[in-house]
Amino acid sequence: PIEPWYIGGPVIKGFGRGSKVLGIPTANLSTEGHSSLLSEHPSGVYFGWAVLSTRGVYKMVMSIGWNPYFNNAEKTIEPWLLHEFSEDFYGEELHLVIVGYIRPEVNFPSLESLIAKIQEDRKVAETALDLPLYSKHKDDPYLKSS
Ligand code: ADP
Ligand code: MG
C-alpha cells in the first residue's frame, strides 16, 4: 500500500476523445498547482475514492500521465468514477483520495488492447477498494470537506 494522497478541483473539459463512447469517461482535473504532487508520484494507474460534493462518494480508477497512445504533450489527471451517472458534471467540485497504485503507464499497440487493460484495471480497483485496508479511506475527512 502507498501513503494516501489527495487532489481536487473542478471537473474540466478534456480532449473529448470519445472515452465516453468507449464506456470509459474520465473526469479530468486541472494539473495546475499540483506539479509537486505529480512529480512525487510516477505516471500510471491508481485507485481510490472520489467525492462529488452534491452527489456522493464513489470508487475510482485513475490514469495520471501522458497517455502515450494519444501522444499527449502534457500530463493529465483522469479519474473514471465507477458509477453510472445520468448526466455530465463538468464544473462540479471533485475530491480524490488516492490509496493504491496498480501499474506504470505503458503504450499499447491498439485501442482494443488499451481498453481491455483499462477494464482489467477497473476490476482490480473494484476488488481492492472492498478490502478494509482501502475501504476505510471512504470516510476520509478530505472527502467530507468538499
Ligand atoms: P473529457 O475529454 O471532456 O474529459 P470524457 O469522454 O472523458 O470527456 O468524459 C468525461 C465527462 O463525462 C466527465 O467530465 C463527466 O462530466 C462525465 N461523466 C459521466 N459519467 C462519468 C463517470 N462515471 N466517470 C467520470 N466522468 C463521467
Ligand atoms: Mg476525460
Side-chain angles (χ1 to χ4, degrees):
I2 59 172
E3 190 63 31
W5 52 290
Y6 304 91
I7 205 158
V11 176
I12 60 167
K13 277 265 175 195
F15 294 97
R17 280 203 198 89
S19 44
K20 213 181 285 175
V21 178
L22 304 172
I24 307 170
T26 57
N28 295 44
L29 289 176
S30 172
T31 54
E32 235 167 275
H34 299 308
S35 54
S36 61
L37 265 183
L38 291 175
S39 58
E40 278 168 36
H41 299 274
S43 294
V45 178
Y46 293 82
F47 62 86
W49 297 97
V51 73
L52 282 165
S53 44
T54 60
R55 297 170 197 265
V57 185
Y58 308 97
K59 292 177 173 178
M60 66 87 188
V61 61
M62 173 177 75
S63 148
I64 288 195
W66 286 274
N67 299 312
Y69 184 82
F70 295 104
N71 256 307
N72 284 1
E74 277 180 42
K75 233 175 180 178
T76 57
I77 304 171
E78 304 195 45
W80 176 21
L81 278 54
L82 304 180
H83 179 81
E84 286 285 329
F85 294 92
S86 53
E87 58 196 4
D88 288 350
F89 41 84
Y90 287 111
E92 286 187 29
E93 198 64 23
L94 174 65
H95 280 195
L96 308 176
V97 52
I98 298 142
V99 300
Y101 179 71
I102 298 178
R103 62 174 176 88
E105 182 168 54
V106 291
N107 206 349
F108 290 90
S110 67
L111 194 54
E112 289 67 32
S113 56
L114 169 64
I115 292 167
K117 184 49 124 183
I118 297 170
Q119 290 293 350
E120 206 181 298
D121 296 334
R122 177 183 62 87
K123 286 186 199 144
V124 171
E126 289 267 17
T127 307
L129 287 164
D130 285 332
L131 302 172
L133 175 67
Y134 298 120
S135 66
K136 66 178 184 204
H137 293 288
K138 197 180 176 176
D139 298 316
D140 194 290
Y142 179 74
L143 296 176
K144 297 194 170 108
S145 69
S146 55

